[in-house]
Amino acid sequence: MDCAWYLCVCSLFCAWPAATGHPCRTDSKGWADCSGKSLQHTPDSLPGNITRLDLSFNSLAMPRSRTFLIHFPSLRALNLSNNIIPTVYPATFSNLWVLQLLDLTSCDIIHLHPKAFQGLENLHTLLLKNNKLQALQLSALLAFGALVHLDLRNNDLISVDVLILQLMERTQQVLLQGNPWICNCSMYPFQQWLQQRQAVHVLCASPPGLQGQEVGTLNFQDLGCRRNQRFPRTLLSASTDLLPTVQRNDTTTMTPAGTGGNSWPYLLGFLAFAIVTSVLIALAAKCKLFHKNFASYRHRPLPDSSSMGDSHAEGGAAWGENQPRLGAAGLQPEDDDGFIEDNYIQPSERLQEEDELEPHFPL
């Protein structure tokens, strides 16, 4: 009896997808298999709590201005491989906050919008193998720092931007084989990046003299760089600020060796401090010199004749006998600097005056 009941339940579960009107197979663990069903849209009858969805080998039409799979916010793994998706538009997966694996293998992808993976903050595996990518627009995704595995094999990549190299420092495994790399001088930072991680099977496609050679084994001269040629600081930080920890034949694991490139604010602050200090010292020296000069010219002026009291009048006669007469304005005729100097009248002049004052008697 128990065996008959179990067989009946199993037969009903296996026949359930056809009875509910969608061709996908589901299980109790949240897996939905819709592979190879010639689907153009996701079946609306799928349960909204599924965690894994396989939509490979279909003919899905990706939306241009709205979110894809908006009714499945619990997805952790999504397989879209072998669909024709030339362009991945912005915010296509923005509602899949907990998605950890996204497979876009063999989708003929030519262009990735810079915001194509917006919202995928927990994505740790991204498979972009066998597409037609010529440039990587992954800075927004790599900036999250959660990506662990990145597969870029067999695309049309000819070089890697320096910013992408910097952001890939936290991506443990990067697969880059099968791309037509152009080995010229602009590839030097990428060559250093590969050399430090001992990555293999990353081969030059051109120029003809380097075709088939490992990019990581080339040197500065092999890439056609001039001996005195310099690279921006960002290029150097991309190739020297990352140290490898684990290397495999086709993988790269790395650990940041330092922040680097952040010393310019301190330099500007030091220069500003030195300039301000110099200005303050110059002002202080000028103020000290000004006070010194001011003090040297600070003489006591003579009292005004109109304000003299009786005491001055009493000694007026004596003053008149020993000093030359004052002018109409009461000022000294020469060298009026406000001081009364001793021996202003020389002795020779005083003797002459006394001779003039003595009476002369005829002999």
Side-chain angles (χ1 to χ4, degrees):
M1 180 66 181
D2 293 338
C3 292
W5 179 83
Y6 177 76
L7 291 174
C8 181
V9 171
C10 289
S11 61
L12 288 175
F13 180 78
C14 293
W16 178 72
T20 53
H22 65 76
C24 303
R25 293 178 299 171
T26 60
D27 60 15
S28 58
K29 296 181 179 180
W31 173 266
D33 184 6
C34 302
S35 177
K37 305 299 181 181
S38 300
L39 297 175
Q40 295 184 357
H41 304 281
T42 307
D44 296 332
S45 54
L46 283 174
N49 60 348
I50 58 175
T51 58
R52 295 180 294 171
L53 177 59
D54 186 356
L55 289 170
S56 60
F57 294 94
N58 283 288
S59 302
L60 296 175
M62 301 296 290
R64 290 173 175 262
S65 58
R66 61 183 179 86
T67 303
F68 184 56
L69 300 174
I70 193 172
H71 301 296
F72 305 98
S74 300
L75 279 180
R76 296 183 179 274
L78 175 61
N79 187 357
L80 296 174
S81 63
N82 293 280
N83 284 274
I84 307 301
I85 309 173
T87 302
V88 182
Y89 296 99
T92 301
F93 309 102
S94 59
N95 66 307
L96 304 178
W97 303 291
V98 297
L99 190 68
Q100 297 178 354
L101 185 149
L102 178 59
D103 190 350
L104 292 170
T105 301
S106 302
C107 290
D108 291 337
I109 300 175
I110 300 175
H111 177 66
L112 289 173
H113 192 276
K115 296 183 179 180
F117 302 109
Q118 182 179 356
L120 300 181
E121 299 183 9
N122 294 302
L123 189 69
H124 67 72
T125 301
L126 177 60
L127 308 179
L128 291 167
K129 181 182 177 181
N130 298 333
N131 283 291
K132 300 178 180 179
L133 293 172
Q134 297 182 1
L136 293 180
Q137 301 289 342
L138 299 175
S139 56
L141 176 62
L142 293 170
F144 293 134
L147 197 64
V148 176
H149 179 83
L150 177 61
D151 191 349
L152 295 167
R153 290 175 293 175
N154 302 328
N155 278 274
D156 293 333
L157 298 173
I158 60 175
S159 63
V160 180
D161 187 76
V162 176
L163 177 61
I164 298 298
L165 287 176
Q166 290 178 320
L167 292 175
M168 283 196 303
E169 64 181 77
R170 289 173 290 186
T171 304
Q172 295 182 4
Q173 190 178 49
V174 182
L175 307 179
L176 297 166
Q177 296 78 18
N179 287 280
W181 304 108
I182 298 178
C183 296
N184 53 24
C185 189
S186 64
M187 286 283 286
Y188 179 69
F190 182 51
Q191 180 268 336
Q192 293 287 294
W193 190 86
L194 293 172
Q195 188 179 59
Q196 290 178 5
R197 289 151 186 80
Q198 301 179 0
V200 298
H201 305 306
V202 181
L203 309 179
C204 297
S206 62
L210 298 177
Q211 186 175 2
Q213 295 193 30
E214 292 273 355
V215 179
T217 62
L218 302 177
N219 56 33
F220 196 81
Q221 289 77 18
D222 294 335
L223 295 172
C225 298
R226 298 187 301 273
R227 180 167 296 182
N228 59 349
Q229 187 167 352
R230 295 183 179 182
F231 294 90
R233 183 177 179 84
T234 53
L235 299 184
L236 298 177
S237 62
S239 59
T240 60
D241 289 351
L242 310 176
L243 295 179
T245 56
V246 179
Q247 292 86 18
R248 301 176 186 174
N249 287 340
D250 57 353
T251 63
T252 302
T253 304
M254 69 229 45
T255 302
T259 55
N262 295 325
S263 60
W264 65 268
Y266 301 99
L267 178 60
L268 291 179
F270 175 78
L271 291 176
F273 175 78
I275 292 172
V276 172
T277 304
S278 301
V279 172
L280 291 177
I281 293 174
L283 290 176
K286 286 185 175 295
C287 291
K288 185 176 181 180
L289 183 61
F290 173 78
H291 285 293
K292 183 177 180 181
N293 293 335
F294 179 76
S296 65
Y297 286 102
R298 195 175 178 183
H299 303 314
R300 182 177 179 181
L302 289 173
D304 192 271
S305 59
S306 61
S307 60
M308 291 183 180
D310 295 336
S311 61
H312 293 79
E314 293 176 357
W319 177 264
E321 292 178 358
N322 297 324
Q323 298 295 336
R325 295 181 177 274
L326 297 176
L331 301 177
Q332 295 183 13
E334 294 181 357
D335 299 331
D336 185 9
D337 57 356
F339 285 92
I340 302 175
E341 300 181 1
D342 294 336
N343 297 325
Y344 181 80
I345 301 175
Q346 300 297 330
S348 59
E349 296 179 359
R350 185 174 297 176
L351 290 174
Q352 184 178 358
E353 290 180 359
E354 291 177 354
D355 292 340
E356 292 177 356
L357 293 175
E358 290 181 0
H360 296 276
F361 299 96
L363 297 176

